[in-house]
Amino acid sequence: MSTGGDAPRRSAGGRFVDGLRTVDERRVAGLAGIRSRWRALPLVVRIAALAAVAVFFYLLPNLAIPLIPTPDTNFASVLFTVAVYVLVAVGLNVVIGLAGLLDLGYIGFFAVGAYSVAIFGSPASPLATKYPWLMLIPIAIAVSMVSGVILGGPTLRLRGDYLAIVTLGFGEIVRLIAVNWSITNGQIGIPNVPAPPGKFPDGSPLFGVIDTRPFYWLALTVVLICMFGVKLLENSRVGRSWLAIREDEDAAELMGVPSFKFKLWAFAIGAGLGGLSGALFASRQGFINSNSFDVLTSVLFVAAVVLGGAGNLAGVTLGAVLISYLPERFRGAAEYRFLFFGLALIAIMIFRPQGLIPSRRRAVELADRKREAEEEVTAGA
Amino acid sequence: MPDATTGVAGPPLLEVDDVTMQFGGVTALDHISFEVRRGEILGLIGPNGAGKTTCFNVMTGVFQPTSGEVRLNGQKLVSRSRHQITRLGIARTFQNIRLFPEMTALENVQVGGDARHRTSVPGALLRLPRHRREERDGRTQAFELLDFMGIPHAANSLARNLPYGDQRRLEIARALATGPELLCLDEPAAGFNPAEKEELLALIRRIRDRGQTVLLIEHDMRLVMGVTDRIVVLEFGRKIADAAPAAVRADPKVVAAYLGVPEDAA
C-alpha cells in the first residue's frame, strides 16, 4: 500500500496489460491508420457500417458461404457457442482489460449464472420456482452480480498477483460446490433447464433442439446490447476511472478516484455479464453438470481476452471467436486445441504482445473541440 | 515552536499539527507543526531525506501519521481516505511523474476533473442529464487547463508519448482539475533547464493568482527564494526554520544543514 518511493505501482492486471503492450509502434501503425480513417467517417456512415456488420452476423447461419460453416457440427449451434464466448469475453474485458484486475476464476460467475437458471427454473430442482424464463435471467444476473460483490468486497483490497490467486480459488470453490452440493447434484447435474418462451405457428417450441438458429439470434442480440452498454460505460467517468485504476491505482486515488468503489463495479458488471452468458448456455443445453466449469475453461476465457487485445472490444471479440470457432471448424484437430492455443499464445506474446487488435485510447477529434468552443461562446453570449 | 513570520498572511488553510511519522525504528517526521495560509506560496525545503515527501504523503492520506493531526479548513484529514482528501481540496503532483500513461493528456486531466463529478454506472448507462453536463463541463475545463499550462497541442497524445517537460506540466494540469484549494507540487522543476524553470516560476505565480494556495517542495534554492512567500525548512524530520525567504537564507542553522558546518567552526 505504501507509495514511499513514489515509484509507480500498477495493478497486476495493469502490469499484465502493460507487459502485453511493450509495443513496437510500427506494428500498430497499419491498424492505427484504419482506426483514424474509421473515426474520420461521419457518424451516420459508421452506424450504417456497424448495422451492416450486425445484419451480416444475423444472416450468417442462413448464408451458405463456402468454408465458413463447420463440417461436423450444426453450424448454428457452433455460432451460439461463439456468441456465448464473445459475451464472456466482453464481460471479462471489463475486469481485465479496463479495470486491470486479473481475474482467473471468471468461470465461477459463468457457473453461478448457469446454475441460477437451472436451480430456480428446472422442475427437477428442489428449489424450483414458477418464474418464467424471462424472469429467471434477471435473477441469474442479479445472483452473479451479488456473488461478484461478495467475492470483490473483501478481496479487491488485494492487488495484482494476490487477487489473481484469490479469484482462481473462487472459481475452484464454485466448481467444488457444484460437485458436492446436493442441489447442484454434481456430475449427475440438473436436467430440464427451461428454454426461452415462444412457439412456431405449428406449436413446436421456438427455441428447440433441432433448429438452434433462434438461440443464436437471441445470444447475438444479447451480445450486441451488452457491447453497447459497455461502450457507454467506457466513454464516461466510469470508464476513465477504470483506466486510471489500471494505469496507476495510487495516483488515481490521489486524483480523487474512489478506486474501491469502481473496482467493485467492474467486478459486479463483469460477474453479471459472466452470469448472463452462463444462463444462456444453460438454457440452450437444457442440462448442466459440474463438468462444464473447470479451471481450464476459465484460463481459456482469459486467453480469449489476451489473444484478441485486452481493453479493446473488437479485439476481445475476435479473440473469443477464434478460441471458440476454430476448434469446431477443425474438429479433427480439436483434441490438440490446447496445444495450438499454447503455441498461438506464445507466438502472440513474441510477435504481437499487445494482442491482435490492441487497445488504443480514443483520440478526441479536434472537431469536437471546435464545437465545444462554439457552444461556450453561444452559452456566454 | 513556530516563529511568527512575515509574508502574505491569510487565515490558515492547512494546519500540520505536531505530526510524527515513524517507519519501524526510523522517525521520518518528528513532531512537525506548520501551517499553510490561504493565498500564499509556501516552500518546503530540506536536504535529501529530510522528510519533505513524507510530509506530502501524510497530508494527502497516503500515510497515516504515528501521531498528530492535519487539518484543512479546520477539518481533520487523518484517517480519511485519499480520494476524500482530494475532494476536500488538496491536490498534488509526484516527484517521479505518475501520469496515466496509456490515456491521452485530455483524459488524464478529465480524470482529475471527475473528482468533482458524481456520475456512476447507472448515470453513464442511461446517459442521464447529469452525465452529459459533467462530461461537457469536464471536457471544457480540461481543454482550458491544458491551455493554461501551455500544452494545448498535447490534448490527444497519449501521456507516455509526451516529452518530459510536457508530462510535468500535464501532471500539474491534472492536479488543478480536481479543483484544489491547496496545490502541492513535489519538485516540479526537477530536470528543467533554467529557461523552463523561469517559465514554471511565472506559472506558479499565476496559479496563486487564480486563488489557489501553493505548497512547493523544491531543491533549487534560487527557484524557491524567487517565488515563495515563506519557507519551512526540514532536516532529519525536524523543522529547523519557518520564515520569510530572506530570513531563511540568513539562518545559520539552514546554511549548516545545506552546506555542512566547517570542521574548524564546529
Side-chain angles (χ1 to χ4, degrees), chain A residues 244-335:
Chain A
I245 292 167
R246 181 189 80 190
E247 296 293 301
D248 186 336
E249 186 171 343
D250 290 311
E253 268 278 334
L254 286 164
M255 291 306 132
V257 176
S259 63
F260 182 71
K261 173 183 156 186
F262 281 115
K263 286 199 292 185
L264 206 55
W265 265 119
F267 237 59
I269 290 166
L273 291 174
L276 175 58
S277 32
L280 288 175
F281 168 81
S283 309
R284 155 81 182 84
Q285 297 278 316
F287 162 81
I288 54 168
N289 68 7
S290 58
N291 286 355
S292 318
F293 311 107
D294 54 346
V295 177
L296 217 49
T297 315
S298 206
V299 172
L300 211 56
F301 290 166
V302 176
V305 169
V306 172
L307 190 76
N312 181 301
L313 213 47
V316 298
T317 304
L318 178 64
V321 168
L322 291 179
I323 263 181
S324 50
Y325 168 75
L326 289 182
E328 296 294 339
R329 175 66 185 79
F330 304 101
R331 194 72 198 213
E335 282 177 45

Side-chain angles (χ1 to χ4, degrees), chain B residues 96-116:
Chain B
N96 308 326
I97 297 171
R98 291 181 70 169
L99 290 164
F100 307 123
E102 292 290 334
M103 299 171 79
T104 65
L106 186 70
E107 286 171 320
N108 267 275
V109 182
Q110 279 179 294
V111 169
D114 285 338
R116 302 267 159 223

Side-chain angles (χ1 to χ4, degrees), chain A residues 3 247-248 250 361 364, chain B residues 62 82 86 98 102 114 156:
Chain A
T3 49
E247 296 293 301
D248 186 336
D250 290 311
R361 295 306 303 142
V364 181
Chain B
V62 176
R82 294 169 291 179
T86 306
R98 291 181 70 169
E102 292 290 334
D114 285 338
N156 287 330

Side-chain angles (χ1 to χ4, degrees), chain B residues 39 41 202-214:
Chain B
I41 300 177
L203 196 79
I204 292 173
R205 286 199 195 93
R206 268 191 288 149
I207 291 171
R208 194 257 316 271
D209 295 342
R210 281 162 50 115
Q212 271 141 336
T213 307
V214 180

Side-chain angles (χ1 to χ4, degrees), chain B residues 60-89:
Chain B
T60 51
V62 176
F63 296 149
Q64 296 300 317
T66 316
S67 69
E69 185 54 77
V70 182
R71 281 182 294 270
L72 182 76
N73 284 323
Q75 283 176 296
K76 295 185 173 185
L77 298 186
V78 168
S79 85
R80 278 184 206 265
S81 64
R82 294 169 291 179
H83 62 90
Q84 279 176 323
I85 292 177
T86 306
R87 262 176 280 188
L88 283 175

